[in-house]
Amino acid sequence: MITFDDVKNAEKIIDGRLHRTPLVHSKTFSDMFNADVYFKMEIFQKTGSFKSRGAFVKFAYLTEEEKKNGVITASAGNHAQGVAFAANAYNVRATIVMPEFTTPAKINAVESYGGHVILKGSSYDEAHDYAVNLGVEKGMTFIEAYNDEKVISGQATIGKEIMDDLNPDVIIVPIGGGGLISGISFAAKSMNPNVRVIGVESEKADSMVKSLKEGRIVSYTSNDTIADGIAVKYPGNITFEMVKKYVDDVVTVNDEDIAYALFKLLEREKVLTEPSGAVGLAALLENKIDVKNKKVAIVLSGGNINFLLLSNIIYRALEREDKLIRLEFKLPDHPGIMIKIVNAISSVGANIYHAEVDNLKKNTPIGYQNLLFTVNIVDKKRINELLEKLNKLGFEYNIVN
């Protein structure tokens, strides 16, 4: 197990080389939850996530022989970038094995830091196994993503910074393999044993919750989650023991709630996180954690998001808030009919975001048009006004979910 001296040494190693990220107060969410809410902005860290902290500390302890032979790791994103960035700073060759489904943006980011990328396997675990075996074969040092005491001591610097800046009642942390929350909880409890540390997982990547419940390390329910940064099949043996000792509770949230939390951060705080980074706020929005009258620090662990996913998240969140509605019509193919629909939409202050005509759909009668309007609208009240007007026009339509 790490010591608090390890955390202080880690702090010295990264001082001046990585950012001491800000702890930002949120009036919006403080008012919403009747609490004093702060966000620890690891999205502003170099490489866009907390992972560079642990990687920098791990590299500081490599021997000259290990540096000469190079390092290898496996990651779907943030850890890969952290290792590549640290390797570049220490002038060490880094090989990064990434799953074959990894987005081009993440591959390009790793390569931009000087990492040599190998795409292998259909999952992180397959990539991990390949990287371990290749490392043994080539004599390279494998850099664990989370189950390593040096890496954990690097992540623990986040907990020390939070305690130095705020000394909150509650700290809320995303959980993947457990390295981040192990480090934060250890540092925080070392400085104030009364602080509560609560972890949040995706309900589909729930290996820590399941392991704690069964008292042994077991795998997650599924890796089919948008929070790919925390979709780790098993906790580490080191992190599992540390979570049992230092973490007060672990809760889960679903993908819809993660996406909505990401949207609310963007809308209200003008802050962009990746899905994994938004799970802490998702837990509050879904009343999974009671923070009333408490001073709360929520760790936003990373901001490296797929922009196509982001566009979908925004779209879905607008639908959830009744600010976007899709209306499908089957209209007689006569001049002047479409303008009646358009006028009804504009009369309630709504705007047509997208319009599509598809007369080849099998269920469209001959002599009719199939139209799909995506409409940006103010709120539920205006939607009801629009539907009233459309009903009076007498045209057949469906609300498309």
Side-chain angles (χ1 to χ4, degrees), residues 6 8 13 53 114 171 174 189 198 207 225 231 241 244 249 261 272 279 314 325 337-338 348 352 358 369 392:
D6 292 327
K8 290 189 285 188
I13 290 167
R53 292 180 185 253
I171 303 175
K189 297 277 188 177
I198 300 174
S207 57
T225 173
E241 292 302 319
K244 285 198 295 184
D249 195 11
L272 178 60
V279 296
I314 293 171
I325 185 171
I337 287 184
M338 193 186 300
V348 298
I352 296 173
D358 183 2
Q369 287 184 315
K392 285 179 181 178

Side-chain angles (χ1 to χ4, degrees), residues 58 72-73 79 124 128 132 142-148 151:
K58 179 63 177 179
I72 189 167
T73 195
H79 176 62
Y124 164 77
H128 178 277
V132 170
F142 186 84
I143 307 293
E144 289 282 358
Y146 50 87
N147 198 45
D148 181 285
V151 170

Side-chain angles (χ1 to χ4, degrees), residues 40-51:
K40 180 60 171 172
M41 300 299 222
E42 285 300 292
I43 56 173
F44 296 155
Q45 188 53 267
K46 290 183 179 180
T47 75
S49 90
F50 73 94
K51 287 288 189 178

Side-chain angles (χ1 to χ4, degrees), residues 78-98:
N78 288 339
H79 176 62
Q81 293 179 57
V83 169
F85 182 74
N88 186 275
Y90 283 91
N91 197 28
V92 175
R93 177 174 169 78
T95 299
I96 316 293
V97 182
M98 307 183 81

Side-chain angles (χ1 to χ4, degrees), residues 358-376:
D358 183 2
N359 295 336
L360 299 179
K361 293 188 74 169
K362 287 185 177 180
N363 62 349
T364 302
I366 293 175
Y368 279 71
Q369 287 184 315
N370 190 89
L371 291 97
L372 179 63
F373 287 106
T374 301
V375 180
N376 185 210

Side-chain angles (χ1 to χ4, degrees), residues 7 14 21 40 42 45 49-51 53 153-164 171 180 183-184 187 299 301:
V7 180
I14 68 174
T21 55
K40 180 60 171 172
E42 285 300 292
Q45 188 53 267
S49 90
F50 73 94
K51 287 288 189 178
R53 292 180 185 253
S153 65
Q155 322 309 21
T157 59
I158 299 169
K160 186 174 183 303
E161 289 174 11
I162 291 172
M163 298 305 292
D164 285 340
I171 303 175
L180 177 62
I184 288 176
V299 178
S301 55

Side-chain angles (χ1 to χ4, degrees), residues 185-379:
S185 61
F186 171 78
K189 297 277 188 177
S190 296
M191 298 172 75
N192 178 3
N194 295 319
V195 63
R196 284 178 56 78
V197 181
I198 300 174
V200 186
E201 288 188 301
S202 162
E203 65 180 23
K204 293 181 179 179
D206 56 351
S207 57
M208 190 65 79
V209 164
K210 289 177 68 178
S211 297
L212 291 170
K213 189 173 291 185
E214 295 198 23
R216 60 187 180 89
I217 294 175
V218 296
S219 73
Y220 51 32
T221 298
S222 155
N223 68 347
D224 184 22
T225 173
I226 61 170
D228 59 338
I230 54 173
V232 176
K233 190 170 186 178
Y234 300 99
N237 62 312
I238 297 172
T239 59
F240 181 54
E241 292 302 319
M242 291 187 74
V243 168
K244 285 198 295 184
K245 186 172 183 179
Y246 298 111
V247 175
D248 296 281
D249 195 11
V250 181
V251 300
T252 62
V253 289
N254 66 42
D255 275 10
E256 292 294 331
D257 297 330
I258 294 169
Y260 188 61
L262 189 157
F263 172 78
K264 297 309 288 183
L265 280 165
L266 185 58
E267 179 190 44
R268 302 310 300 268
E269 298 296 324
K270 316 309 175 198
V271 163
L272 178 60
T273 70
E274 61 193 74
S276 304
V279 296
L281 179 60
L284 291 191
L285 289 171
E286 293 307 303
N287 300 312
K288 296 291 183 78
I289 304 170
D290 180 14
V291 296
K292 186 176 180 181
N293 299 322
K294 299 284 195 305
K295 193 161 47 173
V296 186
I298 304 173
V299 178
L300 304 184
S301 55
N304 296 314
I305 188 170
N306 179 327
F307 288 119
L308 291 176
L309 175 62
L310 175 62
S311 64
N312 185 256
I313 285 172
I314 293 171
Y315 188 91
R316 294 285 289 273
L318 289 171
E319 281 190 317
R320 177 170 173 161
E321 293 191 342
D322 294 318
K323 293 176 181 175
L324 204 68
I325 185 171
R326 286 183 290 171
L327 300 166
E328 186 176 40
F329 295 86
K330 286 181 173 53
L331 301 173
D333 192 6
H334 298 155
I337 287 184
M338 193 186 300
I339 193 65
K340 294 179 181 179
I341 307 295
V342 172
N343 286 339
I345 292 170
S346 63
S347 71
V348 298
N351 183 51
I352 296 173
Y353 175 73
H354 180 75
E356 180 182 333
V357 180
D358 183 2
N359 295 336
L360 299 179
K361 293 188 74 169
K362 287 185 177 180
N363 62 349
T364 302
I366 293 175
Y368 279 71
Q369 287 184 315
N370 190 89
L371 291 97
L372 179 63
F373 287 106
T374 301
V375 180
N376 185 210
I377 200 161
V378 177
D379 54 27

